[in-house]
Amino acid sequence: MFLTSHVDAGPAAEDRSAPADAADRYRAPALDKGLDILEVLAEQPRGLTRAEIVKLMGVSPSQIYRMLERLVVRGYVSRVEGGDRYALSMKLFNLGTRHPPLRRLVAQAQPMMDEFALEVRQSCHLVVPEHGHGIIIAQASPQGHWEFRGRVGGLLDLFATGSGLALLAFQHPDRLTETLRLWGIADAGARLAPIAGHLAEVREQGARVAPSAQFVGVTDISVPVRGPGDEAVAVLTCAHIDHPGEAGEDSRGRALARLQTLAASL
């Protein structure tokens, strides 16, 4: 990374000149450009040419040339299709999965989730909050030719998915707005107001069971994985589909009970 140098004038000078906005207090333009490149490429599964990156970022080619090459050298970005396009490598994913608490949670949950999928004949996935979204960190599939499942690494809308709404519901209601600010959601109060009643109902029921807002014929069954403060540190969700010959309500009830037992074990 090529960072601009500065002279440290000491705490007093820093206090006089520091902007009121904490986001602008310690600017590192080169680092920001590198992160912008990674975020742009994260949205493009086939990668982008240098010219396309320049256009999307709204900068000149000279502003990103060395930064892009350094990202290639460090292994965060790879050249594809003969070197004309750039795409994210697996390095960020590998770094993320090295995080010890996350790794421990996945290591403990995965065999239990596999057992659930085999026993109930339904897929399930484990979701944690991540920068204003929910992210799927583990997934288990039933045996058989057909399945419906979430993708590991997939980002979920906290306000429009079963897993996201369950994560919100099982935070302490008096601290929820502040919790969402810490998760990176600035307009938390305005976005929570329309769903406050639903979240209270989910808390009272101890789980969220409702038709999927994304797929017809799928029922989202979500239960919290609670931390020491009794708030949800993660959510287990079964995207339940009815099988021929099974009563839907009985099948969903069995999946819910089994999922609650699994969550209590984590």
Side-chain angles (χ1 to χ4, degrees), residues 29-122:
L31 178 58
D32 285 337
K33 285 189 180 68
L35 296 174
D36 287 343
I37 291 171
L38 295 177
E39 291 176 357
V40 165
L41 290 176
E43 301 295 327
Q44 305 292 333
R46 291 190 61 250
L48 294 168
T49 65
R50 187 182 302 158
E52 289 169 336
I53 297 173
V54 165
K55 182 177 180 180
L56 285 174
M57 291 180 59
V59 298
S60 66
S62 61
Q63 288 181 286
I64 70 162
Y65 175 75
R66 289 194 300 173
M67 184 64 65
L68 188 56
E69 293 306 310
R70 290 306 302 165
L71 290 172
V72 171
V73 170
R74 294 294 299 271
Y76 291 94
V77 172
S78 300
R79 288 190 181 91
V80 295
E81 296 184 11
D84 295 331
R85 304 181 74 83
Y86 296 85
L88 285 186
S89 70
M90 291 295 292
K91 187 168 185 176
L92 285 174
F93 177 81
N94 291 334
L95 287 175
T97 55
R98 289 181 195 172
H99 186 51
L102 179 63
R103 195 168 65 236
R104 286 197 298 269
L105 177 60
V106 173
Q108 184 177 0
Q110 191 65 64
M112 299 181 186
M113 294 170 64
D114 291 337
E115 184 178 346
F116 169 90
L118 181 64
E119 178 183 327
V120 183
R121 295 202 301 154
Q122 301 284 345

Side-chain angles (χ1 to χ4, degrees), residues 178-218:
E178 181 59 29
T179 297
L180 288 181
R181 288 199 186 102
L182 294 175
W183 289 359
I185 299 175
D187 57 345
R191 299 190 68 182
L192 286 170
I195 60 172
H198 178 66
L199 298 184
E201 182 180 345
V202 171
R203 276 194 300 274
E204 183 177 351
Q205 294 175 346
R208 184 180 185 276
V209 181
S212 169
Q214 287 74 42
F215 300 97
V216 176
V218 175

